[in-house]
Amino acid sequence: MLNDLLDRNAVWSDQHRKNDPGYFTRLAGQQTPEFFWIGCSDSRVPANVVAGLDPGEVFVHRNVANVIHSSDMNMLSALEFAVDALKIKEIIVCGHYGCGGVKAATEDLPHGLADHWLEPIRRLARAYVVDLAQQDDAEARRDQLAELNVIEGVRRVAETPIMQRAWRGGAQVRIHGLIYGLKDGRLRDLDCTVGPGHFLAEAAQ
Ligand code: CO
């Protein structure tokens, strides 16, 4: 299995060098991505592939069910580097329909550690129980919950001190919420974009 993977890598590398001899040399020199992608770890939703982007074009953080925990040092470190060092222009929080993490959050315990990780989604399900009940079946409810999780994620990223500081410093970076359809391979904009001027103190007034 591993040898297959290494063989595929060799073919991929050879093809790129044949088509563009300077390809890897350029990429090795510097990364200047315009996008920071926060998505689900699901193997069917690879950021570069579904967004049609090449290596070097998107900085990526993925976790189970693309949950934004405001104390997640991994996510926060990636966010800070993306905003402060890479000067990213667009941050994308991307969920997907048919998400196993969202499904687990709607089931009885226990899934082990995942139940701690997915707690924000359980909380969302409780908060939106009336809206979710309007859906015809469990799959539709989970898909709406996946959308709500993205919208909540966008807000949570916006509320981090990292983003608040960046916007007050004049950064023009925006945060978008997208959802990906496993059944049709399409990304949809959930129209919950926030950008410069989204300050916590004003939002609370
Ligand atoms: Co998922």
Side-chain angles (χ1 to χ4, degrees), residues 157-192:
V157 173
E159 288 167 2
T160 58
I162 295 165
M163 293 309 304
Q164 294 292 311
R165 191 184 66 229
W167 282 326
R168 287 187 192 282
Q172 294 299 302
V173 56
R174 296 185 302 168
I175 311 168
H176 311 274
L178 304 183
I179 192 107
Y180 176 77
L182 292 176
K183 292 177 180 172
D184 63 4
R186 294 296 297 268
L187 287 168
R188 293 167 180 80
D189 189 349
L190 292 175
D191 290 324
C192 56

Side-chain angles (χ1 to χ4, degrees), residues 34 50 63 84 108 116 122 128 153 158 161 172 181 190 193 198 201:
E34 293 197 347
V50 305
N63 66 50
D84 291 352
D108 285 338
H116 295 276
R122 288 185 189 278
Y128 287 90
Q172 294 299 302
L190 292 175
T193 297
H198 181 89

